[in-house]
Amino acid sequence: MTDKMPVLLRPTTQTVHTYERLKQCSRCGTYSVLWHESCLECGSQRKFLSVHDIVRGILRRNLQRDLLLMAAGSLAAYFLARSFEQMAAAIAGGVLLIVLYVLLRRRYSQTLQLVTLRKLLQRESFGIREGLLLDVQDAASDIESENFKEAYEKLREIGFLITGNHIRVLKAFCLNRFILRSDMELELSSLIPDEFEPSFVYYLNEICKVSPQLVKRDTLDYVMKHRIQIGGMIEGRATLALVAAAALRVKEYVFEYSSLLYDFVEDLPRERLLRLCRLLGEHPDRAAELHQKTQETARRKYEFDPEFQGFI
């Protein structure tokens, strides 16, 4: 693909849980996962709360409410008392109840936070979805204005919570506009589409060149499923050969995807072919046909190469 641009991608923020990426506008309640300081819905500046902030606010209000109810109950008992002993018992009972309540909340604070968080996410699921759709629209407007870098960075953030095929295809579409480098924070498994998608295959071709370690079993399964369509594309055979070479990074892939390797043994570069010879030499009976073709190819191309002598 022509007209590719060099980019320096914004680093992603690592979180333990995906919901931690969410933030909510304290003015209108709109959710977002983007880094904007202004709300996409109401335009408020710097009025966002994290999910943890929201949970802490809920727990704080609940604590204040419960303490007020207990204090009110104690005072009511105090004013209804008919003797000094009853009045003292009402106040002492109220103080003891409040102390016990605070101690129990402190002891089970983590469990209470998790329960409150779960209820919040369930209650706000529709609002979260609507907020993420606003984020998607914002990224789409960047694509329309050909600001592919900004669009991809936004889609990447959105993709942590929305993993639908549409988001994956758009991310691959944007990535195909960049000059990829091995030092970039790239993704592959999270981009695999539901069906055959040429833009993903174009991206896969580049990934195999700069970061072949990203080719995992899910990518190989996709290639095996759509290898006929991929082979029919421009540079399709070259892409399949690159994928086959990348598969050699994991020993078990050699035997699981031996049919793919069999078709592209002759396209493997010297170092990849040498590794294939070594792996097959350890288990010659597991992929007999591939082993035979690999020996024949090595004999024909590297008959006098000393490193191949033990395999031909």
Side-chain angles (χ1 to χ4, degrees):
M1 187 171 290
T2 58
D3 300 327
K4 293 191 176 186
M5 64 186 76
V7 293
L8 182 62
L9 296 175
R10 178 192 299 265
T12 57
T13 302
Q14 300 299 320
T15 61
V16 177
H17 305 285
T18 54
Y19 66 77
E20 293 176 320
R21 314 187 85 85
L22 287 167
K23 61 181 182 178
Q24 184 189 42
C25 175
S26 59
R27 179 178 177 183
C28 67
T30 298
Y31 286 89
S32 176
V33 292
L34 303 183
W35 51 86
H36 295 320
E37 294 291 342
S38 60
C39 176
L40 293 173
E41 181 66 24
C42 69
S44 296
Q45 296 287 331
R46 299 181 180 179
K47 292 185 178 294
F48 288 103
L49 296 173
S50 69
V51 171
H52 290 304
D53 290 335
I54 299 171
V55 170
R56 282 193 289 267
I58 294 172
L59 292 174
R60 183 171 58 251
R61 290 191 295 271
N62 289 347
L63 175 62
Q64 293 170 350
R65 178 200 63 199
D66 295 342
L67 291 178
L68 284 173
L69 288 174
M70 286 184 281
S74 178
L75 287 174
Y78 174 84
F79 286 113
L80 292 174
R82 295 184 179 182
S83 65
F84 177 77
E85 288 79 7
Q86 290 179 348
M87 294 169 63
I91 295 299
V95 171
L96 180 61
L97 181 61
I98 289 174
V99 170
L100 287 174
Y101 178 74
V102 171
L103 290 175
L104 284 172
R105 279 184 66 104
R106 185 176 298 174
R107 180 175 181 179
Y108 296 103
S109 61
Q110 187 173 6
T111 301
L112 193 58
Q113 288 178 13
L114 291 174
V115 171
T116 305
L117 173 63
R118 189 180 301 112
K119 290 181 178 179
L120 172 69
L121 295 176
Q122 290 174 348
R123 185 176 69 248
E124 295 291 299
S125 59
F126 179 79
I128 292 172
R129 179 179 178 276
E130 291 299 305
L132 292 175
L133 288 178
L134 275 178
D135 290 346
V136 173
Q137 292 174 14
D138 189 45
S141 66
D142 286 330
I143 292 177
E144 291 177 359
S145 60
E146 298 187 356
N147 187 358
F148 298 114
K149 175 184 177 297
E150 193 83 2
Y152 170 69
E153 291 171 343
K154 292 175 181 178
L155 290 168
R156 183 178 58 183
E157 287 298 314
I158 297 165
F160 283 105
L161 280 91
I162 299 180
T163 58
N165 188 66
H166 183 61
I167 298 297
R168 283 175 271 158
V169 171
L170 287 177
K171 284 198 289 184
F173 176 82
C174 293
L175 284 164
N176 282 325
R177 267 66 187 174
F178 308 150
I179 297 173
L180 303 183
R181 306 183 311 276
S182 59
D183 64 334
M184 294 173 68
E185 188 179 351
L186 299 171
E187 55 182 320
L188 182 60
S189 293
S190 54
L191 298 177
I192 299 174
D194 294 336
E195 300 296 337
F196 173 69
E197 178 58 50
S199 62
F200 173 76
V201 178
Y202 291 136
Y203 177 69
L204 176 60
N205 181 285
E206 294 299 316
I207 279 291
C208 288
K209 297 174 184 176
V210 298
S211 297
Q213 71 276 6
L214 294 179
V215 177
K216 307 294 185 183
R217 182 175 281 105
D218 48 8
T219 303
L220 292 167
D221 288 340
Y222 177 87
V223 169
M224 294 296 293
K225 181 180 178 181
H226 301 289
R227 62 187 298 183
I228 295 177
Q229 295 99 313
I230 296 173
M233 295 174 60
I234 298 175
E235 296 190 5
R237 180 175 177 82
T239 300
L240 291 171
L242 287 169
V243 171
L248 290 171
R249 299 180 66 87
V250 179
K251 179 179 178 179
E252 284 303 310
Y253 292 171
V254 173
F255 306 104
E256 290 182 37
Y257 304 97
S258 59
S259 62
L260 176 66
L261 287 164
Y262 182 90
D263 291 338
F264 296 96
V265 168
E266 296 186 3
D267 298 277
L268 295 175
R270 178 187 178 281
E271 293 304 317
R272 295 288 87 192
L273 182 62
L274 181 58
R275 174 168 172 76
L276 180 58
C277 287
R278 289 170 175 165
L279 291 174
L280 291 173
E282 296 174 3
H283 305 279
D285 298 328
R286 291 190 62 183
E289 292 183 1
L290 176 60
H291 189 201
Q292 181 180 353
K293 185 172 183 179
T294 301
Q295 285 182 313
E296 293 173 354
T297 303
R299 187 181 301 111
R300 185 174 65 256
K301 298 176 69 174
Y302 303 104
E303 182 178 0
F304 301 106
D305 190 320
E307 289 194 84
F308 283 89
Q309 293 305 307
F311 307 108
I312 57 178

